[in-house]
């Protein structure tokens, strides 16, 4: 069965510092990978998605993620954190034939400090 | 174009009562997905519906839970005889098609509290 592991349930960075949120997946077939952001009491918003076109994917709000098949990873990065980036981030995976059914990681809460 | 609309946003039920959660997909979307988020956990897939059809209910508990997406009106997730363990945030998502690379748009969720 497919699964997604997000290392670190809480990450704290200073404003202006690099953001790195980790995501590893388990799969025997090529997956589609997604990063979603959830602000307090809000729904999920898609940040970016990997669909095998390019290994480095750029998303909204300055985020990007790199698909590394050898490491089964899809880590999310942003060069310079902003206070408005404070939120919960979810990595998710879907597979061929599962029609947009997503398997989510447990989430990483990002805190940005001054 | 309004997004995915869920109501109510907050719902409190006593143990044994029924909970009905509604989801109106985005205009032009005929595919609806329900997810449940338990405290401190990620979202778990529950059910995938198209108009008048249940496509995949592999994530639905076998008892007390049901879902429908009628030809007219919103999708409904129904939980009968609620228990404290049903307390969670329930999210609905919609997409224009069911392809696995199609982005699903999420609603703001319904937070169910069972007392």
């Amino acid at each position: 069965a497919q699964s997604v592991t997000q290392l670190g349930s809480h990450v704290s960075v200073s404003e202006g510092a690099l953001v790195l949120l980790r995501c590893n997946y388990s799969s025997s077939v090529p997956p589609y990978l997604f990063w979603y952001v959830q602000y307090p009491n809000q729904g999920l918003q898609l940040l970016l998605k990997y669909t095998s076109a390019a290994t480095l994917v750029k998303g909204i709000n300055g985020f990007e993620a790199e698909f590394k098949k050898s490491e089964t990873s899809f880590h999310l990065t942003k060069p310079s954190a902003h206070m408005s980036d404070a939120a919960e981030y979810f990595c998710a995976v879907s597979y061929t034939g599962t029609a947009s059914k997503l398997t989510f990681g447990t989430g990483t809460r990002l805190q940005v400090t001054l | 174009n309004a997004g995915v609309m869920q109501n109510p946003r907050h719902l409190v039920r006593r143990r044994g009562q029924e909970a009905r959660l509604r989801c109106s997909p985005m205009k032009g979307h005929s595919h609806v997905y329900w997810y449940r988020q338990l405290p401190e956990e990620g979202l778990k897939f529950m059910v995938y519906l198209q108009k008048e059809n249940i496509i995949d209910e592999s994530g639905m508990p076998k008892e007390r839970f049901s879902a429908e997406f009628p030809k007219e009106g919103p999708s409904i997730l129904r939980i009968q005889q609620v228990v404290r363990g049903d307390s969670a945030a329930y999210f609905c998502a919609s997409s224009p098609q069911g392809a696995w690379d199609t982005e699903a748009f999420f609603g703001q969720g319904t937070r169910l509290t069972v007392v």
Side-chain angles (χ1 to χ4, degrees):
Chain A
Q2 62 266 29
S3 67
V4 174
T5 302
Q6 291 184 243
L7 293 176
S9 59
H10 291 82
V11 171
S12 182
V13 300
S14 301
E15 191 174 33
L18 171 71
V19 175
L20 171 61
L21 305 181
R22 300 178 186 274
C23 172
N24 289 87
Y25 66 92
S26 65
S27 169
S28 58
V29 297
Y32 274 10
L33 292 155
F34 304 80
W35 275 100
Y36 282 86
V37 60
Q38 184 181 30
Y39 298 100
N41 296 316
Q42 298 292 316
L44 278 72
Q45 180 183 6
L46 182 67
L47 277 177
L48 50 80
K49 66 180 181 181
Y50 166 74
T51 58
S52 76
T55 57
L56 183 62
V57 182
K58 294 187 183 298
I60 62 172
N61 301 339
F63 284 93
E64 62 181 36
E66 186 173 7
F67 173 70
K68 291 186 177 180
K69 185 178 179 181
S70 61
E71 299 177 6
T72 60
S73 69
F74 190 58
H75 302 331
L76 182 70
T77 60
K78 182 174 181 178
S80 177
H82 191 272
M83 296 296 288
S84 61
D85 294 327
E88 186 139 24
Y89 293 79
F90 292 95
C91 183
V93 63
S94 71
Y95 294 88
T96 305
T98 55
S100 288
K101 182 170 74 175
L102 297 168
T103 299
F104 284 87
T106 52
T108 297
R109 187 171 299 278
L110 176 66
Q111 182 182 19
V112 182
T113 59
L114 289 172
Chain B
N1 187 11
V4 178
M5 304 300 292
Q6 290 188 249
N7 67 82
R9 291 289 307 277
H10 300 273
L11 181 62
V12 179
R13 284 287 178 266
R14 296 185 184 277
R15 282 178 295 171
Q17 290 185 319
E18 179 179 282
R20 284 195 179 198
L21 289 63
R22 294 174 180 77
C23 169
S24 296
M26 288 182 68
K27 186 176 181 180
H29 289 192
S30 59
H31 299 253
V32 165
Y33 315 82
W34 285 94
Y35 291 83
R36 176 166 64 175
Q37 184 180 29
L38 294 169
E40 306 300 321
E41 295 187 17
L43 281 74
K44 304 288 187 187
F45 169 80
M46 299 182 75
V47 63
Y48 161 39
L49 310 105
Q50 292 182 40
K51 285 284 186 179
E52 300 184 280
N53 287 302
I54 296 175
I55 306 302
D56 182 345
E57 55 181 349
S58 58
M60 286 280 272
K62 298 302 180 187
E63 298 178 347
R64 302 188 297 109
F65 284 72
S66 63
E68 63 178 6
F69 188 17
K71 185 176 180 180
E72 301 292 336
S75 174
I76 305 289
L77 179 67
R78 183 181 293 109
I79 311 172
Q80 296 177 305
Q81 299 176 321
V82 296
V83 301
R84 290 233 171 97
D86 298 331
S87 295
Y90 292 82
F91 288 94
C92 170
S94 74
S95 65
Q97 55 190 15
W100 61 303
D101 60 343
T102 302
E103 178 182 351
F105 294 83
F106 283 80
Q108 293 183 304
T110 294
R111 281 155 180 81
L112 172 66
T113 301
V114 179
V115 296

